[in-house]
Amino acid sequence: MDALHPRLLVGGFAECFRFYDAVLPGLIGAVRASGSESGPYAHWDVDGQGALVLFDRNAMAAVAGTSELSAGAPPSQDRSMFVCRVADVDAGLAHCLAHGAAPVAGACDRPEWGPGLRTAHVRDPEGHLIELQSY
């Protein structure tokens, strides 16, 4: 049973699907369990446990009764982040960038956050913040 897993609501489903389908296997060993580029739903697992779900934003808005609201938000600080623990932050960063991620913060050691912690930050095609970390 999947106790917790992130579900990203995306407007550009096909583009986000292609990005995560390309990076998750090499990044965290995730395999696509269901879904396709045509959407509206896809999910990836690691060892049979949910790792990430993509869901079409318009489909969720129809269920939540928010279709008439704007899908965009004014510029603001990030409210969430998808964190991936990886064996090698530098290699993970290169892998994400090679598949179209936008760089945010390069790989660096962050001892003030925790002993031996190394991170890098990128954005997916929709702008979701992703942290790559190892410790």
Side-chain angles (χ1 to χ4, degrees):
M1 176 177 88
D2 299 331
L4 299 170
H5 59 270
R7 180 173 295 191
L8 300 179
L9 304 176
V10 298
F13 190 91
E15 184 178 19
C16 284
F17 175 88
R18 288 189 300 270
F19 173 76
Y20 284 107
D21 206 45
V23 301
L24 288 177
L27 200 60
I28 61 172
V31 295
R32 182 171 12 112
S34 72
S36 70
E37 186 175 326
S38 62
Y41 177 93
H43 82 273
W44 291 262
D45 291 350
V46 174
D47 296 329
Q49 296 294 308
L52 178 68
V53 173
L54 292 183
F55 195 67
D56 181 79
R57 182 180 297 119
N58 289 331
M60 189 70 243
V63 170
T66 58
S67 295
E68 73 284 353
L69 299 177
S70 170
S76 63
Q77 294 180 349
D78 294 289
R79 298 183 75 138
S80 63
M81 178 171 60
F82 180 46
V83 178
C84 298
R85 188 166 181 190
V86 298
D88 182 332
V89 170
D90 297 81
L93 176 60
H95 184 65
C96 288
L97 294 175
H99 290 285
V104 173
C108 69
D109 296 327
R110 298 203 181 271
E112 68 281 12
W113 290 6
L117 182 64
R118 185 167 179 77
T119 67
H121 295 85
V122 298
R123 291 195 185 278
D124 75 7
E126 286 247 327
H128 295 107
L129 185 61
I130 301 170
E131 178 176 277
L132 309 174
Q133 65 170 233
S134 66
Y135 52 94

